[in-house]
Structures are given as C-alpha cells and as structure tokens.
Amino acid sequence: MPTRPPLRIAIDSGGTFTDCIWVEDSHLRILKVFSTPADPAQAIAEAVRKIAGASREIVVLHGTTVGTNTLLQRKGARVAFVTTQGFEDSIEIGRQQRPKLYDFFFEREPALAPAELRFGVNERTSSYGEVLRAPATEALAELAKRVATQRPQAIALSLLFSFANPANEKAVAEALARLNLPLSVSHQILPEFREYERASTVLVNAYLQPIMQSYLKNLQERTGNRESKAARIFVMQSSGGITALSTAAEQPVRTVLSGPAGGIVGAAAVAGRSGFDRIITFDMGGTSTDVALVDGHPSTTNEADVAGLPVRVPVLDIHTVGAGGGSLARFDAGGALRVGPESAGADPGPICYGKGERPTVTDANLLLGRLPADQFLGGDFQLDLSRTQKLVARWLKEQGSNLALEEFAAGVVRVVNANMEKAMRVVSIERGYDPRQFSLVAFGGAGAMHACELAQALRIPRVMVPAYPGALSALGILISDVVKDHSRTVLLRVPPSTKAAAKSEQALPAKKLETIFAELQRAISTELKKEQWQGRAVYEPSCDLRYRGQGYELNLPYDLDLLRRFHAEHKRRYGYSSPEREVEIVTLRMRGRVASPERLSRLKIHAEEGRLQPAVASVYFGGRRHKARILPRNLIRAGQSYRGPAIITEYSATTVVPPGFKFMADKADSLLVEVD
C-alpha cells in the first residue's frame, strides 16, 4: 500500500481565532477554533488533531503572533547588550525623537537591556572598514566573565561599523560563544548602516530568541502523532515568505509580522485570479486591523517599528491599528465615545460569546442586526443576543449615558470605521496614491462587515470579498514561497549625468554592484541547500538609493536603467526630482525565492458549503431599520447581479451589503460589491 503524502496545514494564530487551511483532493478545507492566548500551541495542537487524526504525518506552515505579543507585553528574555566602548547607552538614547511632542509627562518604555546588562568592548573599526583597534584577548576573556556574572538568557552583539568589516565582531562573538547562550550577531542579522536601528534589531532578536525557541520546540512536540513523529514546522516571515523552523528560531525578529504578511500574500493572489492587480487590503480580525496597498505586487519595507522599537529586516509594508471585532467601547473623560485599542480578545471575548461583560464592535454589529445570531461560524456557534442587549443596556446606565442601544451600536461602528479609514489613508493618499484607482479586498473575520462603508468614504469603486475570507491569511501562508533576504550597505556615489554621459547605465558602477550581488546570491544559495529546499531559486536584486544629503532612501529593482527610474519614482513620491544632484547607492539587497508546491491556480476554490439557510432580517442602516435578505454565500450564482441591503453568511465570515450597493460572484468565486 503506497504511503500517504504528508498533510500540509497552514495555521494563522490570531488574537481571537486560530485559522487553519489545508488541501484534500485539490479542494481547500477550513477550520476556525478559538485561540488560547495564554498558550497558543494548545489551540494549534487541538486543531491539528481534529484535522489529521492521530496517525498521519503532518507539515505545519505557521503564522505566529508570539514575537509581536512578546514585544508588546515586554515579556522577553533577559538580554545582555555588547557594543563598542562608549556606545553602551545608544539603545536608550535612540534618535532623541519625542513620540508625543507636546506631552510633557510622556515616559518612554525602558530599553530591552537595562544599564547593568550593557557592556562595552575596547575596539574600533572605521567607516571604511579599516580595523583601527582590535580587541585584546585578555579583555575578551574578562568581558565573558562580566557578562556571565549578570546571568543573561541571551546576548546581542552589535559593534560600530561591523557591516563594513566584521573581523572585530567575529572575535568578540567567538569569546561570548563559550557561554553557551543564544547569541545574536549584527553582521549576520543586519549588515547595514544606521547604528541605532541595527543595534535595536539585533537586540529585539536576542530578546525573542529564547521565547521563540521554546515555543517552536513545544509546538513541534505537541503536534506529533501517536507514533511519536513530531510535525515538521515551517514559519511565515514578515517579508511574505516561508522559512525553516531552525532559521525562525535563530532569527525570530524576521517573524514579528508573520500572520498579517500571510494576508497580503493571499489577498494579492486571489485578487490576481479575479483580474485585479491594484488593491488595498483590509484585514480586520478580532484584535487589530491590517491594511496595505498592493500596486502590482506586495511591496516590502525596511523601516518598520514594532511596539515602538525599530526593526530593520524586510517586512511587507503593512499599517496596523488597534481596531477589531473584539475592540472595546468606552467613554473618555469628556464623554466622547472611543473604540479600541484595548480588546476583549478570545478570553473573555465579546459579550455575545457568553463570557465578556464590556461592549465590543462585534456586539454592536449584533445589536444592529448585521451579524445573524444563529449563523455564526456556519451555525456551529450561537451568539447570545438577549445577554448582549441586557449587559450593554446595564453598561450604558453605569456610564451615565441615555443613548438607545441602536444609537450606541451605530456610534461604535462609525468610530471604528473612522479609525480604519485613517489607516487606509496612510497607505494610499499620504503616499501619493489615489484610492479611486484601486479595489478594496476585505477579509479577516470582520473585514467584510465594514468594507462597503469604508469604500464609500474613500470613493473606492469596488469591494472584493474572496472565498474563505476569514482564513485568507492562512491561505496566503499555504501558498507562500520560500524566501531568503540578504543585504549589505556599500554607500557608492554616482556623479550627476552630463551631456557626455547622458545614459544612466554609463554612470552606474555596474561591475562593482554585480560582484556584490553575486556574493549575496551565493550566500542565499548556500542557505537554501543547507535547509534542503527543492526547486529552482529565483533571485531578485534591488538597491536603496537617495540624493546625497538625504536621510532616507527609495528601494528599486536593479537593472541598468536604475538611475532614470529613481528620478521618476522620487518625483512620483515626493513631487520633484533633481537629476543634476549626486546620487548615493546606499544598500544592496538580494531576495532568493523558491516557489511553493501549492499553487493557487491548481486549487479548487468554491464557496463553503454548510447548513445555513436563506432568511429575512431587520437591519439598522443610516439611522433606520431596513428589511434585508440573509443569503448563504454558496447560493449566490456566478454572474447573477443582486441588490442590497443583504447579509451574506458563510462559515468564516459575514459580509454586509448596505442599501445602494449591488453584488455578484465572479468565476473565481470572489464576491464583487459595487455602488448600484
């Protein structure tokens, strides 16, 4: 009897739900379970047992929030920070920027490494890579003893200008390696300039390393089968690609936006299948909302801040706000209604789930009739409407508010929509894009409930709700390629174009650039072979460029037309270009990509079947009640036009179509909603 192939399960562990997607007979299957925030591995292990039983071999592709939550809650490891003597306090001084300029009482979060855990090394490397002072052997032995006496759980090492020449850093790393502690070294993790940001990134990595290593080991053991075969686990990176468990454990800083990255990959893929390549993604979950703009393909950035800490590894360009289905409503000191960022999460959850006692966005949608109580999770979970009405009324009375339930619920929806609209403006209008030229792809458990009103506010012409909207992040993880990113700061100056050298390719130091790109490509190729990935790797070189004197760069794919495209992109982004100015090529980047065995084009995607039945409900829109149809999504015929108001139900999400909108299903089984 032939051996069954391993079952590949993509799992996105969120704050409220843990979403799972897998393939059986070329058909996608989906499962949502409540998350267990105190022990995320528990919900995952239970889901895997439900899906695969006790004997089948498992491959888990995992998008995790463990790194993000560890940073937000400041519950990471006790970390020693080792740097060049005189720069020990650089991680606390930072850029001396005030996050709140006029708040005289603002207090910054303390650095991840306290003063007693910061150590200086008497060494120096110049900005050109010349070793001016090598560390003495005796001093390194003494350093190791001093570090050991403080009993750290991990060490972060970041020496001045080690990206230009790592010789001194290698010597210090060799001395500290004898302590047998997790060691994060800057020239391995981020060989780039900007000392504070590089040190912060390496420190975040060390801070997360013991936590992530313990979590991934525990997860691997708990997802094994009865023959004691541990599951093979791969982890989603913030850059939108899969990596091996060993790499994720060594460099957890690359996973801090793991789950949201899967959503961007999934949204771009399903939108492309429906013929749209210019989209704004809108992922509204239980705890937060993630938005991104995709103009042809998902873009990455190296300027992310997570929990107030610079993280300079490649991440998909995502903007996050604390607005989700579980976001709590409250009145501030002036009596104004506020929503979020505090969330009820999975425990206790919204009032209608049966445990919570404070009103949330989900409760507001239930009170407005936009969330049918008997059709949540495909009818598997009954929402408690009477409990919600009773507790919200009592809470309003305690707050001294005389608002009616419907007025309050409508206010909650308006406030949370305003928060999310602001986030969409950040990724579109504030970056020079016109949202009227894009489609809004709504997903996450709550995204399709708010998408039409947001599209109307921003004049986005079309809302697209893909199949499996509540688990699209997991689908993105399932189809994500294996990705490796390497970089190196070079700081090469290119003189302005002249009449004698009008063509930009004549000005580029092409030979030098291509030599460095070849070195980066060889390093990625070695890593891919070490991790035994199958398939042909595709390499994507790019450059960070700026005009001399500027402090920030633009990243563009590398080719001989690089300079002309830089001037054009600078003009599009900032409104001007200066071809007569000297250009600096600051950092070279190389991405290696191996295609996923699961291609979206090969999968059969269809609306989820279920026991949901059509009905009619009274739903609150625009200050009054409307009679709206409740339609199970699998009953919507492709190509046939329908009119709102309507509530479209399915297992993983609910779609709200207000009056004045029309909708239809396309051939790719995505739901398209437009103004009627």
Side-chain angles (χ1 to χ4, degrees):
M1 184 176 178
T3 305
R4 297 174 73 187
L7 180 63
R8 292 166 57 87
I9 307 173
I11 300 178
D12 175 34
S13 181
T16 306
F17 284 99
T18 294
D19 306 325
C20 310
I21 272 191
W22 68 101
V23 180
E24 281 186 7
D25 302 323
S26 297
H27 286 80
L28 286 175
R29 299 287 184 261
I30 179 173
L31 174 69
K32 291 177 77 76
V33 297
F34 284 104
S35 295
T36 48
D39 180 11
Q42 179 183 337
I44 296 171
E46 290 174 359
V48 167
R49 279 193 291 271
K50 285 183 180 179
I51 294 167
S55 59
R56 193 166 179 185
E57 189 178 349
I58 303 296
V59 173
V60 173
L61 309 171
H62 183 26
T64 174
T65 57
V66 169
T68 312
N69 292 340
T70 300
L71 286 175
L72 290 172
Q73 299 168 16
R74 288 294 200 273
K75 291 184 177 179
R78 179 175 166 83
V79 182
F81 175 62
V82 180
T83 188
T84 302
Q85 195 172 75
F87 290 81
E88 295 91 336
D89 294 329
S90 61
I91 56 168
E92 185 156 350
I93 296 169
R95 290 291 175 192
Q96 296 185 324
Q97 294 170 331
R98 294 178 63 91
K100 296 184 179 180
L101 190 60
Y102 300 109
D103 185 354
F104 295 110
F105 303 100
F106 175 78
E107 292 186 13
R108 291 181 59 183
E109 290 279 356
L112 296 182
E116 67 272 14
L117 281 169
R118 302 174 202 159
F119 303 90
V121 181
N122 187 15
E123 64 81 40
R124 198 59 178 251
T125 300
S126 77
S127 60
Y128 297 101
E130 180 186 359
V131 176
L132 303 176
R133 186 185 305 119
T137 304
E138 301 80 6
L140 292 181
E142 180 61 26
L143 170 69
K145 289 181 183 177
R146 288 167 52 214
V147 172
T149 57
Q150 292 295 330
R151 298 184 179 180
Q153 296 171 298
I155 302 172
L157 172 60
S158 181
L159 300 185
L160 197 66
F161 298 118
S162 62
F163 64 87
N165 184 347
N168 282 358
E169 196 165 81
K170 287 179 178 178
V172 178
E174 185 178 347
L176 295 174
R178 297 167 192 153
L179 299 178
N180 293 319
L181 292 170
L183 178 61
S184 298
V185 184
S186 74
H187 76 266
Q188 296 173 352
I189 294 173
L190 191 68
E192 298 180 20
F193 80 144
R194 293 199 172 101
E195 215 57 37
Y196 166 61
E197 287 78 6
R198 179 159 57 93
S200 173
T201 302
V202 175
L203 189 58
V204 167
N205 192 77
Y207 188 72
L208 298 177
Q209 214 171 353
I211 309 299
M212 188 64 82
Q213 286 175 348
S214 175
Y215 168 70
L216 292 175
K217 181 181 178 182
N218 179 35
L219 180 63
Q220 191 172 38
E221 292 172 350
R222 291 171 69 171
T223 52
N225 59 34
R226 65 186 174 200
E227 278 117 20
S228 299
K229 289 184 180 178
R232 293 171 59 205
I233 297 179
F234 302 95
V235 180
M236 186 70 177
Q237 301 177 96
S238 308
S239 60
I242 294 293
T243 191
L245 180 142
S246 57
T247 302
E250 289 172 6
Q251 297 193 15
V253 69
R254 296 184 182 272
T255 70
V256 291
L257 293 175
S258 174
I264 308 305
V265 173
V270 296
R273 187 167 170 150
S274 292
F276 306 113
D277 62 353
R278 305 191 82 197
I279 61 171
I280 297 173
T281 68
F282 171 45
D283 178 6
M284 183 178 180
T287 306
S288 62
T289 291
D290 305 298
V291 298
L293 185 140
V294 177
D295 191 3
H297 57 83
S299 60
T300 59
T301 179
N302 294 78
E303 297 182 0
D305 280 33
V306 181
L309 299 164
V311 173
R312 292 300 183 259
V313 294
V315 301
L316 289 182
D317 198 356
I318 302 168
H319 185 67
T320 302
V321 291
S327 293
L328 293 167
R330 69 185 192 282
F331 291 100
D332 65 14
L337 180 62
R338 305 285 184 185
V339 181
E342 187 183 358
S343 173
D347 187 14
I351 295 173
C352 58
Y353 287 5
K355 291 183 181 178
E357 296 187 352
R358 292 176 60 188
T360 67
V361 174
T362 298
D363 297 315
N365 279 312
L366 179 65
L367 292 171
L368 296 174
R370 301 182 181 189
L371 187 59
D374 59 346
Q375 303 208 28
F376 192 69
L377 289 181
D380 291 341
F381 189 89
Q382 178 76 30
L383 299 177
D384 196 335
L385 177 59
S386 61
R387 182 178 193 269
T388 304
Q389 292 170 330
K390 178 182 176 182
L391 291 189
V392 172
R394 187 178 73 187
W395 182 84
L396 286 170
K397 187 176 180 180
E398 290 171 353
Q399 302 302 310
S401 172
N402 58 3
L403 288 173
L405 286 180
E406 288 177 341
E407 292 175 323
F408 167 72
V412 169
V413 170
R414 283 198 301 272
V415 170
V416 78
N417 282 353
N419 293 340
M420 296 185 294
E421 180 188 339
K422 190 185 300 182
M424 288 186 189
R425 289 180 180 274
V426 168
V427 301
S428 59
I429 296 169
E430 292 185 16
R431 297 180 184 177
Y433 293 98
D434 184 349
R436 294 173 296 182
Q437 298 174 0
F438 291 78
S439 298
L440 182 64
V441 180
F443 56 102
M449 300 187 70
H450 298 258
C452 289
E453 292 170 332
L454 289 169
Q456 199 168 33
L458 289 166
R459 299 176 68 187
I460 298 173
R462 181 184 304 103
V463 172
M464 175 183 163
V465 184
Y468 314 96
L472 190 69
S473 292
L475 176 60
I477 293 168
L478 182 70
I479 63 174
S480 288
D481 297 335
V482 176
V483 169
K484 296 285 182 184
D485 288 291
H486 279 222
S487 61
R488 186 184 302 173
T489 291
V490 292
L491 206 60
L492 299 174
R493 290 175 180 169
V494 182
S497 298
T498 64
K499 291 181 180 179
K503 294 184 178 180
S504 60
E505 61 263 30
Q506 293 177 319
L508 274 178
K511 278 192 175 181
K512 189 165 188 177
L513 295 177
E514 287 165 9
T515 298
I516 298 172
F517 278 132
E519 293 174 6
L520 297 175
Q521 181 172 323
R522 282 195 296 271
I524 292 175
S525 178
T526 300
E527 285 189 21
L528 292 172
K529 288 178 182 176
K530 182 181 177 182
E531 295 178 2
Q532 299 180 339
W533 293 107
Q534 303 297 316
R536 185 176 67 88
V538 176
Y539 296 95
E540 302 166 357
S542 66
C543 302
D544 291 356
L545 300 94
R546 67 187 182 190
Y547 291 120
R548 187 178 179 187
Q550 289 182 327
Y552 296 93
E553 302 81 42
L554 291 174
N555 178 262
L556 294 170
Y558 171 74
D559 63 18
L560 295 179
D561 198 29
L562 180 66
L563 294 182
R564 184 194 63 79
R565 290 187 295 108
F566 167 69
H567 296 308
E569 176 62 14
H570 197 282
K571 187 169 185 177
R572 189 200 67 79
R573 182 77 67 91
Y574 301 113
Y576 75 97
S577 64
S578 303
E580 70 282 357
R581 288 179 64 179
E582 191 172 39
V583 173
E584 290 180 329
I585 301 174
V586 181
T587 300
L588 304 188
R589 305 187 185 279
M590 178 67 76
R591 167 167 286 196
R593 184 189 298 275
V594 177
S596 166
E598 303 286 4
R599 308 310 296 171
L600 192 64
S601 57
R602 301 174 192 161
L603 301 177
K604 296 175 183 176
I605 298 179
H606 53 81
E608 305 155 34
E609 298 291 338
R611 60 176 185 270
L612 300 177
Q613 297 296 322
V616 176
S618 175
V619 185
Y620 195 86
F621 291 109
R624 64 188 184 89
R625 286 277 174 180
H626 294 257
K627 186 179 288 187
R629 287 185 296 174
I630 297 177
L631 280 174
R633 182 162 176 170
N634 63 296
L635 299 183
I636 297 174
R637 296 178 182 176
Q640 182 175 333
S641 182
Y642 301 79
R643 283 187 168 82
I647 308 296
I648 302 163
T649 58
E650 56 188 306
Y651 173 73
S652 66
T654 300
T655 302
V656 173
V657 182
F661 285 80
K662 61 182 179 180
F663 60 96
M664 62 175 285
D666 67 8
K667 292 181 180 179
D669 217 29
S670 290
L671 199 64
L672 304 180
V673 188
E674 299 176 350
V675 174
D676 191 354

